[in-house]
Amino acid sequence: MQTQEIEHYLAELGATLENQGITKPVRMLLIGGAYMMLLANAPRTTDDIDICWLEEGEDFRKARLALRDAVQAIARRYALPPNWFNYLTQMLIYDKIIMPRGKLWKRFGPLHVYAPPKEYIFALKILAGREQDLADCRILLPQTRIRTRQQAQRVLDRYILPEAQQEEAETIASSLEVLFGSERERDP
């Protein structure tokens, strides 16, 4: 997907929810490649729109069913893969992260899309540690105040739970080394 397509599909999703009678806001946090493209100006494409739910409760349960139907309808209409709107990431990282509330980025009818701080996305990318994630970190770094490995670790401590940092210690250490050099070179 290109940037314009992402916004178009989100607008379609919001309109479809509205047509299904959803009036209360459905709040979600934009993460992943779509975030990188729309909010960090990364020169890339993405296969899906990764999101995290910002709330739960009865209104959310009702909206979730409507959202599922709307996502499927848009997938059929535009020949998109079934997982084009992806909330699986949240299920995979839910017990590893401290999720920020984010700031409202755009409203598409009842669909309210929030943007987390760039430091949060940076922490998620360090945790994932794949080549594309490290490339995204290189794009994010100049857009943040993170300049040293020590500052990066403080961001990880803010958003990644200690148990998850222990479980993923090897990936995190490798990611930090690629971006900041070895620990021996770390600033005091």
Side-chain angles (χ1 to χ4, degrees):
M1 284 183 231
Q2 303 286 335
T3 302
Q4 308 89 311
E5 291 173 304
I6 293 169
E7 289 202 53
H8 176 75
Y9 297 145
L10 289 172
E12 288 275 326
L13 193 54
T16 304
L17 288 172
E18 205 164 38
N19 292 340
Q20 292 178 357
I22 300 298
T23 56
K24 294 192 177 180
V26 178
R27 294 179 182 93
M28 54 194 52
L29 197 68
L30 186 66
I31 60 172
Y35 177 98
M36 291 301 301
M37 293 168 60
L38 293 168
L39 296 157
N41 300 314
R44 59 179 287 198
T45 61
T46 186
D47 295 329
D48 58 10
I49 300 171
D50 294 311
I51 59 100
C52 290
W53 306 111
L54 283 175
E55 58 199 85
E56 296 187 18
E58 190 56 36
D59 290 335
F60 169 75
R61 281 190 275 284
K62 290 177 188 173
R64 191 183 71 199
L65 295 174
L67 187 61
R68 181 198 64 200
D69 293 343
V71 166
Q72 291 172 355
I74 291 165
R76 285 190 300 274
R77 188 177 314 143
Y78 293 100
L80 297 171
N83 64 340
W84 72 270
F85 191 75
N86 184 10
Y87 48 89
L88 178 61
T89 302
Q90 181 173 8
M91 295 179 347
L92 296 173
I93 64 172
Y94 186 76
D95 60 346
K96 296 180 180 196
I97 61 166
I98 299 165
M99 189 164 40
R101 183 109 183 112
K103 292 184 179 173
L104 182 62
W105 172 62
K106 284 195 178 179
R107 289 185 180 116
F108 302 95
L111 181 65
H112 292 198
V113 181
Y114 286 74
K118 288 181 175 154
E119 292 81 3
Y120 176 71
I121 299 298
F122 176 82
L124 293 182
K125 298 285 185 179
I126 291 287
L127 185 65
R130 300 168 301 192
E131 192 173 315
Q132 180 62 53
D133 295 307
L134 296 177
D136 287 344
C137 284
R138 288 185 186 96
I139 292 168
L140 286 168
L141 275 171
Q143 299 177 35
T144 70
R145 294 185 176 167
I146 303 166
R147 298 293 175 261
T148 67
R149 185 181 181 122
Q150 197 171 32
Q151 291 169 332
Q153 185 60 55
R154 281 196 293 269
V155 168
L156 289 168
D157 293 344
R158 182 176 186 188
Y159 293 117
I160 309 298
L161 294 170
E163 306 81 41
Q165 287 192 50
Q166 288 175 348
E167 289 171 16
E168 303 295 336
E170 192 174 312
T171 300
I172 290 170
S174 174
S175 297
L176 291 173
E177 186 162 330
V178 166
L179 294 168
F180 298 100
S182 72
E183 239 180 302
R184 291 183 301 276
E185 299 167 10
R186 186 161 57 175
D187 291 347

